[in-house]
Amino acid sequence: MNRTPRKAPPGVLWLDDAADYLGYEVSTLRKWRLKKKGPASFKIGGRVAYRIAVLDAWLKAQEAADPHSNPDIDPANAPVEYAAA
């Protein structure tokens, strides 16, 4: 008999808890999962699960991709290129 545990395994969050953790609606995570976007997920006994480490890495990647948080990728900080005379 395939039973789904009520409590998520250590280091794992169920879909609804992952949505709370990230600050998104459950429906957003469902849409991302269908489109193969957002943080990686998997199923345990028919329930969608997310590793907390994966959620944290995804958040860190989002921060690194934001020019406001990462001045190295902000176009305003790009060196000025002059045309050859």
Side-chain angles (χ1 to χ4, degrees):
M1 180 177 190
N2 188 8
R3 296 186 64 193
T4 302
R6 291 183 190 172
K7 185 177 175 186
V12 173
L13 296 174
W14 297 129
L15 174 66
D16 53 341
D17 296 324
D20 287 341
Y21 188 82
L22 294 174
Y24 285 98
E25 297 292 328
V26 172
S27 61
T28 299
L29 267 64
R30 283 189 180 127
K31 287 175 192 171
W32 286 351
R33 185 170 158 78
L34 288 172
K35 294 179 179 183
K36 299 183 190 310
K37 293 176 63 175
S41 60
F42 59 100
K43 283 195 171 185
I44 300 175
R47 290 183 75 178
V48 176
Y50 293 82
R51 291 198 180 278
I52 295 170
V54 169
L55 297 176
D56 289 339
W58 183 81
L59 285 170
K60 188 174 181 178
Q62 298 307 300
E63 180 182 13
D66 184 347
H68 296 290
S69 298
N70 187 348
D72 293 336
I73 63 171
D74 187 348
N77 294 333
V80 177
E81 294 182 22
Y82 297 98

